[in-house]
């Protein structure tokens, strides 16, 4: 495709027409110039290709394979697995002539209440961005694009199309944008989808800071930006801000506004050209990578869906090694979700599964179990007859496995949850069953954290999340020990909703939600506040045991552009083969900057046979230690000693090492008369100049000076440290100490301290 030539030949109207889609799922064709249209489809955990003829937004999509949702996938902590999934989805797209798969979603789980958390990976930006990277690389390796979404701060469904997420710059960078940044830089998604909401007052669809300054200028992105469906407010502003494609079609209305704005000189044609060029580049990429004759083997993909889910489920409790289940025992499966599991969420990601395997289906290959429905799913009402029947069955068996979770109405795209409870009818069932059977195991189906008032009353808890259409197979494989659980939580499960950091500010007031908790999202908050969670970030059990043997760092001091290799050894000390997710966190307790106690900066999943030991190497760079310094608008590391913590969860640190890290670059010092004496004396140069100055103006650094006040030496020193320079004039009974002289001191100090910056 000769894009320059096409751009030259296009009329303004044709250019404007390419800035929006045709119908819901296609870009526009321009027949005169032989520009074909392409199709895009949701995503992210399967192909929701809507019937091409109808081209509507409803659920009429083709039969497909539903894989585990992102909230489950994230628990695998497995880049390879996500890449494999991506490749499979890419092949499915090729088979169906879909050019771009709309996903993955890299929004941070700010609150467990967000109705769409099942589509997002984590509360941690590093984990989220690493997994998004792997997924994108997988899909795109097949010649199909992805659309990383929703950029940015779409962390709630409540008023999602109008709310303004109000966030400070450091939090924006360290938490919410960092979740996208790695994926944009390392995987280069073909498209980035802007979010519906506003960010600090400006719609994401017309936000130059997000769409151009950060995405393109800072991160070097050169792919397409596309609106979320219906996210455009002012299309002309959008073009100026860097939003290339509007979806779905505006029926030509916004295209006309673009033409008009160019004619009136309000919009530069160069900005329109940029949008058109990126649309054409995307078409070209798909054309170049188009494969014919790709066959979609649904059965094969269904098997992969089961395998993936078995790598994601998290074993939360296993008292007395109740799991794996001994199949010679008398077993009951109780709960509607054993028969028809909840395995995906509602909304745009909803897959029309070609088949579903429940635990009741899958267990038939293993042994006989008795079954009772136990509760209703269409309403939260206790039906005494089905409840009592279930309790009776539980009483008569050796092990009762309860399949529970959130029904569709409790959690979906489009609205947020109001609480973290399971339905009352399920809680009653769990209570009654646990009373009559001490060997009760819970299997959970939910898209996000739930409260578990029953945690102490049952012996086993297995978190399946929304595990895709083959969830039942994976559950049975884990419950009976064919597979060893190896997932760990990608989000904190709080004991109660009010423990969550966003609790006081979710979902905000009117059209404004303030992210007051700042950088303290998820485990960063629970750690700092010393709040014991129900289950911490990174937690999950196995049927085997692991020993963390040693830790080594490749150097004691790290300078600019250097990397640090951290090597640890882990051994399987149990009796069965298993996989351990080894997590590396960085801790900075010396810089004086407000920071989290730990930040995840590395993870590896390692497979070990019984008795086997393996070494794992993590590579860290300067960014791993940095925080976002708003004074210099850049990432910055203070000089000092940083701790490296390696462990089995955020609350189970097994090994510790440390390294000295040199500062990235110097921050400009800007003292004023309001700087305190302590500030001035915080550097050796400052101390020296200040002492000279005091001598010059004849102010003794002693009690007679008036500076030290009453009280102990210690108190006096503290008071002095807190004193602004300007106040010395009032506190010192000394005529030669003037405001002018202090100003000169400040000026001199600023010049000397910043001299090496010029
Ligand atoms: C969702 C997107 C989705 C799009 C197309 C929107 O409502 O927010 O995630 O890709 O619809 O279905």
């Amino acid at each position: 495709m000769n894009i320059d030539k096409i751009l030259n030949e296009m009329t303004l109207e044709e250019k404007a027409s390419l800035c929006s889609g045709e119908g819901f799922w296609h870009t526009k064709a321009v027949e005169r110039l032989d520009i074909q249209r392409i199709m895009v489809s949701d995503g992210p955990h399967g192909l929701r290709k809507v019937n091409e003829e109808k081209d509507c937004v409803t659920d009429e999509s083709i039969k497909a394979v539903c894989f585990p949702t992102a909230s489950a996938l994230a628990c695998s902590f497995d880049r390879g697995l996500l890449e494999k999934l991506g490749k499979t989805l890419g092949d499915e797209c090729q088979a169906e002539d879909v050019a771009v798969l709309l996903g993955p979603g890299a929004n941070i789980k700010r609150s467990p209440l967000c109705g769409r958390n099942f589509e997002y990976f984590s509360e941690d930006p590093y984990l989220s961005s690493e997994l998004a990277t792997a997924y994108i690389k997988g899909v795109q390796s097949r010649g199909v694009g992805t659309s990383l979404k929703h950029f940015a701060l779409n962390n709630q469904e409540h008023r999602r199309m109008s709310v303004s997420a109000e966030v400070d710059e450091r939090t924006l960078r360290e938490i919410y944008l960092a979740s996208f940044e790695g994926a944009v830089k390392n995987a280069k998604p073909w498209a980035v989808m802007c979010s519906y909401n506003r960010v600090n007052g400006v719609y994401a669809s017309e936000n130059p800071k997000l769409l151009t300054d950060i995405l393109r200028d800072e991160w070097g992105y050169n792919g397409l930006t596309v609106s979320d469906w219906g996210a455009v407010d002012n299309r002309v502003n959008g073009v100026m801000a860097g939003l290339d494609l509007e979806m779905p079609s505006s029926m030509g209305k916004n295209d006309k506004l673009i033409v008009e704005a160019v004619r009136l000189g309000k919009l530069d044609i160069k900005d329109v050209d940029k949008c058109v060029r990126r649309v054409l580049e995307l078409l070209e990429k798909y054309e170049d990578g188009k494969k014919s004759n790709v066959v979609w083997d649904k059965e094969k993909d269904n098997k992969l869906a089961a395998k993936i889910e078995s790598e994601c489920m998290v074993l939360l409790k296993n008292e007395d090694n109740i799991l794996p289940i001994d199949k010679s025992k008398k077993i009951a499966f109780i709960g509607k979700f054993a028969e028809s599991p909840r395995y995906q969420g509602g909304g745009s990601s909803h897959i029309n599964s070609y088949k579903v395997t429940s635990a009741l289906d899958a267990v038939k290959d293993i042994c006989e179990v008795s079954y009772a429905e136990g509760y209703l799913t269409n309403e939260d009402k206790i039906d005494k007859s089905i409840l009592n029947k279930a309790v009776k069955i539980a009483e008569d068996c050796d092990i009762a496995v309860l399949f529970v979770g959130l029904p569709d109405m409790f959690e979906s795209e489009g609205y947020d949850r109001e609480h973290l409870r399971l339905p009352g009818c399920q809680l009653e069932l769990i209570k009654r069953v646990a009373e009559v059977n001490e060997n009760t195991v819970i299997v959970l189906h939910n898209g996000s954290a739930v409260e578990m008032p029953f945690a102490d009353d049952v012996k086993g808890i297995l978190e399946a999340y929304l595990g895709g259409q083959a969830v039942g197979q994976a559950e049975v494989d884990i419950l009976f020990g064919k597979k060893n659980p190896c997932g760990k939580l990608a989000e904190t499960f709080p004991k109660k909703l009010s423990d969550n950091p966003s609790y006081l500010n979710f979902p905000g007031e009117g059209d404004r939600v303030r992210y007051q908790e700042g950088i303290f999202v998820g485990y960063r908050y629970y750690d700092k506040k010393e709040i014991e969670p129900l289950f911490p970030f990174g937690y999950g059990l196995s049927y085997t045991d692991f020993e963390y043997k040693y830790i080594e760092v490749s150097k004691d001091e790290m300078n600019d552009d250097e990397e640090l290799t951290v090597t640890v050894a882990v051994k399987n000390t149990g009796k069965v083969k298993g996989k351990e997710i080894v997590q590396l966190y960085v801790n900075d307790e010396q810089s004086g900057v407000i920071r989290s106690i730990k930040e995840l900066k590395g993870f590896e999943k390692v497979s070990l046979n019984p008795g086997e030991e393996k070494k794992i190497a993590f590579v860290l760079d300067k960014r791993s230690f940095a925080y976002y310094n708003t004074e210099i608008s850049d990432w910055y590391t203070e000089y000092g000693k940083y701790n490296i913590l390696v462990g089995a969860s955020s609350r189970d640190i097994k090994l510790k090492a440390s390294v000295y890290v040199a500062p990235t670059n110097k921050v400009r010092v800007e003292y004023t008369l309001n700087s305190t004496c302590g500030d001035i004396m915080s550097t050796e140069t400052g101390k020296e100049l200040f002492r000279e100055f005091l001598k010059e103006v004849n102010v003794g650094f002693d009690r007679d000076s008036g500076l030290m006040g009453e009280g102990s030496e210690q108190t006096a020193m503290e008071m002095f440290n807190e004193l602004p320079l300007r106040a010395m004039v009032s506190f010192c009974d000394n005529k030669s100490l003037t405001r002018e002289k202090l100003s000169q001191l400040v000026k001199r100090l600023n010049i000397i301290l910043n001299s090496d910056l010029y």
Side-chain angles (χ1 to χ4, degrees), residues 105-333:
N107 296 94
I108 288 288
K109 295 179 203 250
R110 174 176 177 247
S111 163
L113 293 178
C114 171
R116 225 176 161 179
N117 273 0
F118 68 90
E119 270 189 79
Y120 303 141
F121 293 115
S122 180
E123 65 188 23
D124 179 84
Y126 176 74
L127 177 60
S128 173
S129 127
E130 285 289 295
L131 297 180
T133 302
Y135 174 103
I136 294 168
K137 281 186 176 168
V139 176
Q140 296 192 170
S141 71
R142 297 308 213 237
V144 169
T146 55
S147 182
L148 180 64
K149 64 192 187 182
H150 310 90
F151 189 66
L153 289 105
N154 185 176
N155 308 102
Q156 64 187 55
E157 292 299 280
H158 178 78
R159 300 183 78 91
R160 66 173 168 163
M161 296 183 89
S162 55
V163 77
S164 174
E166 314 263 307
V167 66
D168 67 85
E169 188 67 19
R170 183 174 163 204
T171 304
L172 176 73
R173 301 288 189 144
E174 284 187 27
I175 306 291
Y176 297 96
L177 294 188
S179 187
F180 289 85
E181 185 179 352
V184 168
K185 288 180 174 169
N186 303 324
K188 305 188 180 7
W190 289 12
V192 169
M193 186 192 292
C194 78
S195 57
Y196 280 130
N197 50 286
R198 289 178 286 159
V199 174
N200 291 332
V202 184
Y203 271 113
S205 60
E206 53 193 72
N207 196 313
K209 176 173 168 179
L210 286 181
L211 296 173
T212 297
D213 302 350
I214 294 179
L215 188 64
R216 297 196 186 280
D217 299 345
E218 282 185 35
W219 297 352
Y221 181 65
N222 55 20
L224 177 95
T225 50
V226 57
S227 74
D228 197 346
W229 270 228
V232 167
D233 172 41
N234 183 321
R235 184 64 187 114
V236 172
N237 285 351
V239 172
M240 284 196 263
L243 182 75
D244 303 325
L245 178 66
E246 173 183 10
M247 287 301 286
S249 148
S250 66
M251 320 283 173
K253 288 174 216 140
N254 281 340
D255 304 352
K256 275 205 189 96
L257 293 181
I258 292 176
V259 171
E260 215 173 273
V262 173
R263 295 232 158 94
L264 291 173
K266 289 183 180 161
L267 176 64
D268 193 336
I269 185 69
K270 286 195 192 120
D271 286 336
V272 182
D273 283 353
K274 280 188 203 158
C275 299
V276 178
R277 178 180 291 281
R278 289 181 199 126
V279 172
L280 293 173
E281 281 168 354
L282 186 129
L283 303 188
E284 188 179 35
K285 276 190 224 168
Y286 184 59
E287 206 177 281
D288 290 351
K290 180 80 199 101
K291 297 186 181 71
S292 45
N293 307 325
V294 177
V295 181
W296 184 359
D297 182 348
K298 294 204 180 76
E299 275 302 298
K300 190 166 144 246
D301 294 358
N302 179 60
K303 283 203 186 95
L304 179 67
K307 181 185 177 306
I308 292 179
E309 172 62 357
S310 68
E311 303 272 325
C312 298
M313 277 193 271
V314 189
L315 182 60
L316 295 173
K317 185 173 180 185
N318 199 16
E319 201 179 309
D320 300 337
N321 291 330
I322 181 88
L323 297 178
I325 299 171
D326 174 353
K327 66 179 182 188
S328 65
K329 293 262 156 63
K330 211 170 157 203
I331 303 155
F333 276 12

Side-chain angles (χ1 to χ4, degrees), residues 457-601:
D457 307 329
V458 298
K459 282 199 177 161
I461 305 175
L462 181 63
E463 174 59 79
Y465 275 105
L466 302 181
Q469 66 179 45
V471 64
Q473 184 62 58
E475 285 169 349
V476 166
D477 286 348
I478 298 263
L479 288 170
F480 290 89
K482 191 171 163 202
K483 297 257 172 82
N484 189 351
C486 59
K488 297 204 180 193
L489 291 180
E491 65 183 311
T492 309
F493 275 47
K495 285 191 174 149
K496 52 185 191 308
L497 175 62
S498 56
D499 286 345
N500 180 265
S502 70
Y503 181 68
L504 299 176
N505 293 287
F506 186 94
E509 292 166 320
D511 266 340
R512 178 190 280 199
V513 52
R514 293 190 176 92
Y515 287 30
Q516 300 271 44
E517 67 284 359
I519 57 167
F520 294 102
V521 175
Y523 67 87
R524 287 164 162 78
Y525 176 80
Y526 297 101
D527 278 0
K528 197 87 168 182
K529 288 281 287 181
E530 298 179 346
I531 295 172
E532 197 56 42
L534 179 60
F535 297 110
F537 174 86
Y539 170 83
L541 303 172
S542 164
Y543 293 155
T544 191
D545 298 305
F546 301 100
E547 194 187 326
Y548 284 63
K549 305 276 284 197
Y550 65 83
I551 183 165
E552 244 170 43
V553 284
S554 59
K555 51 180 72 117
D556 300 329
E557 179 149 351
M558 208 177 141
N559 290 310
D560 267 340
D561 301 327
E562 285 185 357
E563 284 181 339
L564 178 78
T565 307
V566 181
T567 312
V568 300
V570 180
K571 184 174 180 178
N572 181 346
T573 53
K575 293 195 178 66
V576 290
K577 187 176 173 179
K579 289 184 181 172
E580 171 68 334
I581 296 163
V582 183
Q583 298 153 52
L584 183 150
Y585 298 86
V586 164
N587 155 268
D588 162 20
E589 55 192 21
Q590 40 84 44
S591 69
V593 177
I594 296 172
R595 290 193 76 165
S596 318
I597 290 179
K598 55 180 98 73
E599 295 171 22
L600 184 76
K601 296 296 170 187

Side-chain angles (χ1 to χ4, degrees), residues 576-734:
V576 290
K577 187 176 173 179
K579 289 184 181 172
E580 171 68 334
I581 296 163
V582 183
Q583 298 153 52
L584 183 150
Y585 298 86
V586 164
N587 155 268
D588 162 20
E589 55 192 21
Q590 40 84 44
S591 69
V593 177
I594 296 172
R595 290 193 76 165
S596 318
I597 290 179
K598 55 180 98 73
E599 295 171 22
L600 184 76
K601 296 296 170 187
F603 60 87
E604 288 301 331
K605 194 169 195 172
V606 57
S607 174
L608 294 164
N609 286 315
E612 191 182 7
E613 179 177 318
K614 273 187 192 159
K615 277 188 185 171
I616 302 149
F618 299 94
V619 178
L620 304 180
D621 58 12
K622 286 296 278 292
R623 173 71 183 265
S624 310
F625 299 91
Y627 68 94
Y628 191 83
N629 187 328
T630 49
E631 305 244 318
I632 56 167
S633 299
D634 204 351
W635 297 90
Y636 181 72
T637 42
E638 296 282 329
Y639 176 73
K641 188 173 156 198
Y642 291 77
N643 296 317
I644 292 157
L645 315 170
V646 174
S649 91
S650 65
R651 289 283 171 114
D652 187 10
I653 298 304
K654 310 271 195 190
L655 302 166
K656 196 170 158 182
S658 55
V659 62
Y660 278 89
V661 180
T664 319
N665 41 23
K666 257 191 107 204
V667 181
R668 227 189 121 71
V669 184
E670 221 41 274
Y671 288 127
T672 68
L673 283 178
N674 281 318
S675 303
T676 64
C677 297
D679 288 344
I680 301 289
M681 307 237 301
S682 65
T683 64
E684 284 309 314
T685 320
K687 222 181 265 174
E688 208 176 297
L689 278 188
F690 198 40
R691 281 186 196 280
E692 267 171 32
F693 171 80
L694 292 177
K695 218 193 247 164
E696 207 179 295
V697 292
N698 213 5
V699 173
F701 191 50
D702 52 30
R703 262 184 216 298
D704 297 342
S705 67
L707 286 173
M708 302 276 274
E710 296 299 317
S712 71
E713 195 88 341
Q714 167 80 13
T715 325
M717 207 53 215
E718 296 287 346
M719 304 271 277
F720 177 70
N721 277 339
E722 303 296 332
L723 194 72
L725 283 182
R726 60 162 164 78
M728 288 178 70
V729 179
S730 335
F731 282 103
C732 294
D733 187 15
N734 180 333

Side-chain angles (χ1 to χ4, degrees), residues 376 379-387 424-426 428:
L376 300 171
E379 56 177 333
D380 186 9
K381 197 179 113 199
I382 297 174
D383 181 319
K384 282 208 177 116
S385 103
I386 55 175
L387 173 68
C425 58
Q426 294 189 21
E428 181 64 16

